[in-house]
Amino acid sequence: MSWFASPTDASARLHEVGYLADGATSTTSYLAGALEKPLLVEGPAGVGKTELAKAVARATGAELVRLQCYEGLDEARALYEWNYKKQLLRIQASHGQEWDATHDDIFTEEFLLTRPLLTAIQRETPTVLLIDEVDKTDVEVEGLLLEVLSDFQVTIPELGTVTATRRPFVVLTSNASRELSEAVKRRCLYLHLDYPDAEREREIVASQVPGLDDRVTAQLVATVARLRELELKKAPSIAESVDWARTLVALEIGDLDAKAIADTLGVILKHRSDHDRAVKELKLAR
C-alpha cells in the first residue's frame, strides 16, 4: 500500500481531514510511509503529535491501533499474554491426557490475548500504530519495541515469530520528559513539532471553528501566544485554543475583551497558579 503519493499529496489529504501540516510534517509523513520507517514525533504537550497519527489514519482510511504508554507498562499489556483462566479450564478438562499433549494444546493462538503491538502486526488491512507518550515508559520497555520497530515482527517463544504481512504506519510520540535510547531513535524518522506561529494557529482555529469572527480569532490567537510566553505549569494546547474558539461561539462573544477572557479562562488554563499568573500578567479583573 502506498500511504501518500508525495509530500504534496500528504499535505492535501491531511488538510482534507482537518490537520494543517507544515512542510516538514508533510514531507516526513510521506517518507514514513514510503520508506516504511516508524515516525518519532517529539515536542511539548498539546502541539498535535497524537492528532497527526489520527489524521494519517483518517486520511488513508486505515484503522488506528493505540498503545498508551505509562510508567509500569509491561510486555503483557504491550505485546500479548496468555489467557491463564482458559488454560486452567482446559487442563482441568483434560483428564487422563498426557502432559505433553495438554501443554501443546494450551499454548496455541486460541489461548493468546493480543495487545496493541501484536494486534497491529497481525492485521491484514491498513493500520496506523500509535505508540503514544513513549517517554513515559520505563527504559526496559524500549527493548520490547525494538523488534517491532526494526523488523515489524514479534517473537512468541511458544509459537515462534509473527511477522507483519502488511506493515503498519507507526507513529511514536514523546513529550521529551526523558531522553529515548539511541537504539529507538536509530530505527525512526524524527519530527519535532512546536507550537504554531500566529498565522498558522489562526488558520487552524478558522478551519476548525469557521463560525468565529475573524477579529475574535485574531484576538484569541494573540492572547494564547501571550499566555504561552508566561511560565505556566501547562501552556494552552492547540486543542484548547480550538475549544476556546468553540466556547466563544457558544457564548456569542463578539469581542474578546478582558472580561470575556477572565470569564472563559478555565477553558484553556487548568491550574489555579496558572489562573493567578494570567490574571496578573494580562491585568484581568478577578
Side-chain angles (χ1 to χ4, degrees):
M1 172 185 176
S2 176
W3 293 91
F4 298 109
S6 65
T8 302
D9 178 54
S11 177
R13 291 168 66 187
L14 290 173
H15 195 174
E16 286 176 3
V17 296
Y19 191 95
L20 303 186
D22 58 19
T25 303
S26 301
T27 299
T28 314
S29 298
Y30 160 71
L31 290 174
L35 302 178
E36 296 186 324
K37 296 270 287 184
L39 173 58
L40 170 61
V41 189
E42 202 169 60
V47 295
K49 304 185 296 295
T50 300
E51 187 57 31
L52 175 59
K54 294 178 180 178
V56 170
R58 293 197 301 272
T60 59
E63 185 80 20
L64 181 72
V65 175
R66 180 174 184 165
L67 173 63
Q68 181 62 52
C69 298
Y70 53 87
E71 188 176 353
L73 178 70
D74 59 10
E75 180 178 306
R77 295 298 174 191
L79 285 171
Y80 68 89
E81 66 178 326
W82 293 104
N83 188 335
Y84 297 119
K85 291 181 179 178
K86 192 172 180 180
Q87 287 177 320
L88 182 59
L89 290 173
R90 173 62 65 86
I91 292 172
Q92 291 173 337
S94 60
H95 299 297
Q97 188 177 33
E98 294 291 330
W99 167 246
D100 287 346
T102 303
H103 179 275
D104 291 343
D105 282 346
I106 63 176
F107 286 106
T108 59
E109 290 192 17
E110 179 185 352
F111 297 90
L112 193 65
L113 298 174
T114 62
R115 301 308 184 199
L117 295 180
L118 181 57
T119 297
I121 290 295
Q122 288 184 315
R123 286 179 57 82
E124 296 181 353
T125 53
T127 303
V128 173
L129 171 60
L130 168 61
I131 304 174
D132 208 12
E133 299 184 322
V134 67
D135 53 320
K136 288 187 175 179
T137 63
D138 302 318
V139 175
E140 292 75 15
V141 174
E142 293 185 23
L144 299 177
L145 298 176
L146 296 182
E147 186 179 19
V148 176
L149 299 181
S150 60
D151 298 322
F152 291 89
Q153 66 181 33
V154 173
T155 298
I156 304 172
E158 297 85 354
L159 296 179
T161 299
V162 180
T163 304
T165 54
R166 179 190 289 267
R167 293 191 172 192
F169 189 111
V170 182
V171 178
L172 300 91
T173 73
S174 168
N175 295 332
S177 62
R178 70 170 175 83
E179 192 74 18
L180 300 179
S181 71
E182 289 301 324
V184 167
K185 289 185 175 180
R186 194 166 56 246
R187 287 162 172 79
C188 300
L189 299 178
Y190 179 81
L191 174 67
H192 184 269
L193 288 183
D194 208 337
Y195 294 113
D197 59 28
E199 178 57 24
R200 187 156 205 83
E201 184 145 27
R202 190 197 61 74
E203 291 178 3
I204 292 170
V205 172
S207 69
Q208 297 292 320
V209 192
L212 189 66
D213 180 81
D214 289 346
R215 188 172 71 90
V216 180
T217 301
Q219 291 175 319
L220 180 152
V221 169
T223 305
V224 168
R226 288 185 63 190
L227 290 171
R228 287 178 184 153
E229 292 173 352
L230 305 178
E231 292 185 9
L232 302 176
K233 289 180 94 172
K234 168 67 173 64
S237 67
I238 298 173
E240 286 165 331
S241 293
V242 173
D243 285 345
W244 201 17
R246 291 188 175 124
T247 299
L248 300 179
V249 170
L251 295 175
E252 299 181 348
I253 291 177
D255 182 23
L256 191 57
D257 55 18
K259 182 178 186 309
I261 295 174
D263 289 347
T264 58
L265 204 54
V267 179
I268 52 173
L269 297 182
K270 313 296 172 59
H271 294 276
R272 175 65 184 272
S273 60
D274 290 348
H275 271 248
D276 291 344
R277 182 171 291 274
V279 167
K280 177 182 177 183
E281 298 295 334
L282 301 184
K283 297 181 171 51
L284 305 177
R286 287 183 180 275

